[in-house]
Amino acid sequence: MATTIRRTVLTLPAAPLGPEDPLPPLAAPADVHRRGRGLPPDLPAAMARRMRYEPLRSLLPVRRRDGYARERVPTDVEAIVVENDRLRATVLPGLGGRVHSLVHKPTGRSLVYTNPVLQPAGFALNGAWFSGGIEWNTGATGHGTLSVAPLHAARVPAPDGGEMLRLWEWERLRDLPFQVDLWLPEGSDFLYAGVRVRNPHHHTAPVYWWSNTAVPEGPGTRVVAPADAAWSFGPERALRRVPVPDGAHGSYPLRCERHGDYFYDLAAGERPWIAALDADGQGLVQTSTGLLGGRKLFVWGTDEPGRRWQEWLTEPGTGGYAEIQAGLAPTQLEHVPLEAGGEFAWLEAYGPLAADPAAVHGTDWAAARAEAAGRLEAALPRETVDAAYAAWRPYADHEPKQTLATGSGWGALEVERGRLELPGTPFPATTLGAEQQPWLALLRTGTLTEDGPEPGPSLVSRPWREMLETTEPGPASAYHLGVAQWHAGDRSQAARSWETAEQLGAGWPALRCLAAADALSGHPQRAAQRYAAAVVAAQEGRASRAARVALAREAITALLDARQVDEAAAVLAGLPPAARRHGRFRLLEARILRARGDEEGAQAVLAEAEIADLAEGEGTPAARPRP
């Protein structure tokens, strides 16, 4: 039985994602891998160079996704099942192509942690993310911006004569297309994933890739990898080299007190793999061809914040998880340069591993490593993985046979602009939607106009910025040019463009950008004045509810920072009651009460506030951030 592929529907308790934040994110993104102090002296020079190479300056052109809540309702979720006689993988193409579950059919074992709910939380670079399964992260350090976004999906021929499931999309932070091909050879206990990231441009581009697998963190679970040392990165944001195992750290997830990362230092030429094995020596192993040489363990820790995060991401009593991960670089603090016209491609394999529990859980780490490595070699020889990669490479260019799901139209727009040829990953013009139409008109006619209640997403790459600079000035083109200039680091010119846009009738969107620029540049009073004017203009205009709510959130914060408490309270009072009940607005309400001297009232609000979009590194539900 070679790979079969079929559609299905999962019904899961899910919290609605809500709308995107329509305001362009001008502030620098939060970076959970930002170092708290300098690089360690024993860090290899190549790693240091990659850590300094092209850090993410902004989320643009991506928008934030923070409109979700925590009220879950039964929801039908489109899924695709990839199956042979040994394994069954269930994939969610509409949620980043996540492998939701991976079941070993002969034993009935679930090889990955399968979250029984879909609960967004603020862990992705742009906000919404959910835990469980196998996720594909690309773009920049952190959980990718496609975590809850739809991907293109289709059937394609597989090297063994069967079928593969191809997932692909255009990653917008770095403007690079990628694909993931999933298939199960006949009789195989391993799910194969052929991955490719391409750079179709005329310049070198920074690439980030980590495949993250959630595994059950049972009391006897041990993570084993072919390394004697790791780079540890924890809450103190310091990178340091530690032995493996460092006591229990870097080996048993439930013996680690605090959350943290352990980036295993694999020796050059060592077969890359990582396994999570329970008390009986049973579990999951992940391996790959050599290019994907990074391996990592992430643990939540056993302290109260770590346990609360586990509960926050799923349902109490369903068990926690750790993550075993594989990446292009030794750590997640690095970006890897990809030359113009080049590509990175590799093969991953995921499957069951059964090892001698006495060897795996003994005190001799070398013996534990050798046992797991030997069992992996017997189950899936390294040569078999290399041969499967070689067999897959010609099939990576095969055109899809049948479309199963549709992603965004941004790839089609970039293919049109650059006249790109990307065999195997078509971005057809039929996927161009309303958000792409103004930019398609700019490309074809040299003019950009918009008719909606507020501007659509901005494009900020150099080619689009240059087109905006040469088009006839108008409210829409001046507004979007300002966003592109801000992204490029030209803040003074961005402000001039937004001033022009306002003069030409752009209204509150231009005022809001000027206000946000003032706030980020250290001018709180001017920011408050402009935010207040933007709120009034949005109320008088045709601004959408999502825009008015997002604008009010920023405006209230700016007014409080400028000590204009009554004005902040008036903006809050002008919101619909449902919006005022959102956790972020409850925090702002508490700030207003505290600024007015009502500490008791502020504490009462905080005691009942639930912050659905709490971000990674910001705090925990057990220790809510004070306003």
Side-chain angles (χ1 to χ4, degrees):
M1 179 181 175
T3 303
T4 62
I5 297 172
R6 58 183 170 87
R7 287 192 179 102
T8 190
V9 175
L10 302 180
T11 301
L12 298 170
L17 285 170
E20 285 186 331
D21 185 335
L23 309 182
L26 301 185
D31 181 4
V32 297
H33 292 114
R34 185 181 67 252
R35 299 182 305 279
R37 55 176 183 262
L39 298 175
D42 55 346
L43 188 72
M47 289 176 63
R49 285 194 298 270
R50 289 191 296 265
M51 288 179 186
R52 297 186 179 102
Y53 174 61
E54 291 292 339
L56 193 64
R57 296 194 306 270
S58 90
L59 282 177
L60 293 166
V62 175
R63 290 175 160 185
R64 286 195 55 78
R65 198 71 187 254
D66 54 9
Y68 50 86
R70 293 192 58 81
E71 294 78 24
R72 296 192 287 264
V73 296
T75 304
D76 289 343
V77 180
E78 296 293 328
I80 300 173
V81 175
V82 183
E83 187 171 16
N84 70 356
D85 55 339
R86 309 289 294 176
L87 286 176
R88 182 172 60 251
T90 303
V91 181
L92 308 181
L95 293 167
R98 181 79 59 98
V99 178
H100 179 62
S101 64
L102 183 63
V103 176
H104 186 231
K105 294 165 68 174
T107 62
R109 292 176 61 89
S110 179
L111 299 180
V112 302
Y113 169 79
T114 300
N115 197 335
V117 305
L118 292 178
Q119 176 56 62
F123 281 72
L125 289 167
N126 61 330
W129 171 90
F130 65 103
S131 65
I134 305 170
E135 61 172 312
W136 320 107
N137 290 293
T138 187
T141 58
H143 295 281
T145 61
L146 296 168
S147 293
V148 297
L151 303 190
H152 300 280
R155 300 176 191 265
V156 293
D160 61 355
E163 293 181 321
M164 295 188 295
L165 171 63
R166 175 161 298 161
L167 305 163
W168 75 98
E169 207 12 306
W170 190 276
E171 198 288 308
R172 301 179 66 211
L173 289 178
R174 304 301 195 180
D175 266 338
L176 300 177
F178 71 92
Q179 72 187 77
V180 179
D181 290 350
L182 300 173
W183 80 102
L184 291 159
E186 184 175 359
S188 175
D189 277 337
F190 284 83
L191 172 68
Y192 286 170
V195 184
R196 177 165 65 167
V197 180
R198 287 187 273 191
N199 179 8
H201 306 300
H202 298 293
H203 58 267
T204 299
V207 174
Y208 174 91
W209 186 280
W210 281 79
S211 303
N212 294 5
T213 305
V215 292
E217 56 163 22
T221 297
R222 190 176 206 185
V223 173
V224 186
D228 292 319
W231 294 97
S232 171
F233 191 81
E236 70 283 355
R237 295 184 178 273
L239 191 67
R240 61 189 182 92
R241 186 178 171 88
V242 298
V244 175
D246 179 15
H249 293 196
S251 178
Y252 287 96
L254 284 181
R255 298 182 190 176
C256 299
E257 181 182 354
R258 298 189 301 167
H259 72 273
D261 303 325
Y262 294 92
F263 300 102
Y264 295 111
D265 190 6
L266 276 61
E270 183 84 50
R271 180 181 186 179
W273 58 270
I274 188 169
L277 305 174
D278 64 15
D280 296 324
Q282 307 279 333
L284 172 81
V285 65
Q286 187 274 357
T287 187
S288 68
T289 47
L291 182 64
L292 196 74
R295 291 297 185 276
K296 170 193 163 182
L297 165 65
F298 169 76
V299 297
W300 277 111
T302 58
D303 60 5
E304 184 180 7
R307 294 301 92 194
R308 289 286 284 139
W309 269 120
Q310 293 269 31
E311 295 173 3
W312 189 253
L313 295 169
T314 183
E315 290 183 334
T318 57
Y321 73 96
E323 286 191 1
I324 57 174
Q325 307 179 8
L328 270 180
T331 76
Q332 288 171 334
L333 286 70
E334 305 166 64
H335 297 104
V336 182
L338 177 58
E339 64 183 11
E343 65 180 42
F344 290 142
W346 62 89
L347 185 81
E348 304 181 41
Y350 298 81
L353 192 69
D356 177 6
V360 168
H361 296 287
T363 58
D364 188 338
W365 173 248
R369 282 180 45 186
E371 169 65 12
R375 298 286 183 156
L376 169 60
E377 188 64 22
L380 186 67
R382 185 174 190 176
E383 291 75 12
T384 300
V385 175
D386 291 339
Y389 169 74
W392 166 71
R393 288 296 282 121
Y395 287 80
D397 286 344
H398 279 218
E399 294 303 316
K401 292 167 51 180
Q402 178 191 7
T403 298
L404 299 174
T406 303
S408 77
W410 296 112
L413 183 65
E414 292 301 329
V415 166
E416 173 79 8
R417 182 195 61 76
R419 297 291 188 264
L420 303 177
E421 294 185 4
L422 297 168
T425 55
F427 293 95
T430 54
T431 61
L432 291 164
E435 290 183 332
Q436 290 83 42
Q437 291 305 319
W439 299 94
L440 190 63
L442 173 64
L443 184 63
R444 293 176 174 175
T445 69
T447 302
L448 187 147
T449 58
E450 291 181 308
D451 299 322
E454 62 247 355
S458 299
L459 294 181
V460 298
S461 67
R462 182 173 179 176
W464 291 108
R465 187 176 76 246
E466 290 175 346
M467 276 186 267
L468 289 169
E469 289 170 344
T470 57
T471 190
E472 182 177 348
S477 59
Y479 167 84
H480 288 294
L481 176 58
V483 177
Q485 290 166 332
W486 181 273
H487 173 73
D490 191 349
R491 295 192 168 193
S492 59
Q493 191 59 54
R496 284 192 283 272
S497 293
W498 289 323
E499 288 168 352
T500 299
E502 184 189 5
Q503 293 166 4
L504 294 174
W508 71 263
L511 270 173
R512 176 266 169 181
C513 285
L514 287 166
D518 286 335
L520 293 168
S521 302
H523 300 288
Q525 297 300 326
R526 194 167 64 197
Q529 180 182 2
R530 280 173 161 163
Y531 265 121
V535 168
V536 172
Q539 291 171 342
E540 295 174 349
R542 297 181 299 149
S544 66
R545 181 184 185 278
R548 286 184 284 111
V549 170
L551 177 61
R553 178 170 156 175
E554 291 186 9
I556 295 169
T557 301
L559 288 163
L560 288 172
D561 290 344
R563 302 183 184 280
Q564 298 182 26
V565 180
D566 291 342
E567 291 83 351
V571 173
L572 181 63
L575 287 171
R580 293 201 303 270
R581 289 194 294 269
H582 190 278
R584 292 292 175 182
F585 286 108
R586 298 308 310 275
L587 289 179
L588 291 172
E589 179 187 352
R591 282 191 64 181
I592 291 170
L593 290 170
R594 181 168 287 164
R596 287 174 165 173
D598 186 358
E599 183 64 28
E600 183 177 349
Q603 290 299 326
V605 169
L606 289 176
E608 63 180 24
E610 184 175 69
I611 315 158
D613 60 334
L614 199 70
E616 183 177 9
E618 181 180 355
T620 71
R624 296 183 179 91
R626 297 176 70 85

